[in-house]
Amino acid sequence: MVVATNGTVHLGTYGAGILSIERQRSHVLSTPQGLPDSHVNDLCLLQNGSLVAATDQGLALVRDRQVREVFGQRQAAPDNLVLSVAEAPGGGVWAGTDNGGAFLWTPGRKDITDAWSAEACGGAVRSIACQGALLWTAGSRPGATYFDRSLSRNGFAPSEKLLPGALPAMDLLCDPEGALWWCDGTGRLYRADPAVFFIPELAGM
């Protein structure tokens, strides 16, 4: 679920596409309207007001209640089954997939500009978050994984580190200060930021 600046609530459903509610009026966008699949696993609202849907058959860019672009394996995506999506700096979109890891797509392009394997991401990427050059993924292994893409600018491969957790992270959220919050389904809440990647006293909140 995401909420637009005008108060419109967009809900991704498992079988009915995207349900948008605005001023007590609802609108449904699904396969008859061009959505690649009616199973919507995640939604991301871009700064320009466009909506990106992660579906079982790739990504869909929605603007003004119309599907403007789709991006799946027929284009250059490593996997059609997209489980999570997050906005990247510069208008791009990070997408987490079931078997193809995570990839970076910029609307309007027919290729991907960056990617991480499923093994590096910890399996199926059920949640993904981006803050500047840092990318976080939550897969099937305990905790969450982050990648520092800024290191590649100096000729080094971006770093990959595992943030602690007793179980796989279930959801990822970046706060306005740039810190990452996640839970593991046990009632424990974790926090990480670029300066202090783990603050134990916040675990278990």
Side-chain angles (χ1 to χ4, degrees), residues 13-18 29-32 34-41 53-60 67 70 80-82:
T13 72
Y14 199 69
I18 302 171
L29 186 72
S30 192
T31 49
L35 206 64
D37 195 88
S38 60
H39 292 173
V40 179
N41 303 306
T55 80
D56 281 8
Q57 292 297 320
L59 295 172
V67 177
V70 295
N80 270 336
L81 180 47
V82 184

Side-chain angles (χ1 to χ4, degrees), residues 85-146:
V85 65
E87 185 173 21
V93 176
W94 274 105
T97 71
D98 183 45
N99 291 308
F103 67 90
L104 178 61
W105 171 63
T106 300
R109 296 189 56 147
K110 300 301 181 183
D111 59 357
I112 59 177
T113 54
D114 202 353
W116 286 96
S117 68
E119 182 181 1
C121 293
V125 184
R126 296 174 296 186
S127 187
I128 195 166
C130 183
Q131 185 73 26
L134 295 179
L135 173 70
W136 288 272
T137 64
S140 55
R141 66 186 176 196
T145 304
Y146 79 88

Side-chain angles (χ1 to χ4, degrees), residues 133-156:
L134 295 179
L135 173 70
W136 288 272
T137 64
S140 55
R141 66 186 176 196
T145 304
Y146 79 88
F147 306 90
D148 186 353
R149 301 176 62 244
S150 65
L151 298 180
S152 62
R153 300 173 187 171
N154 300 321
F156 298 97

Side-chain angles (χ1 to χ4, degrees), residues 154-169:
N154 300 321
F156 298 97
S159 65
E160 170 200 347
K161 292 186 179 179
L162 183 66
L163 298 176
L167 296 170

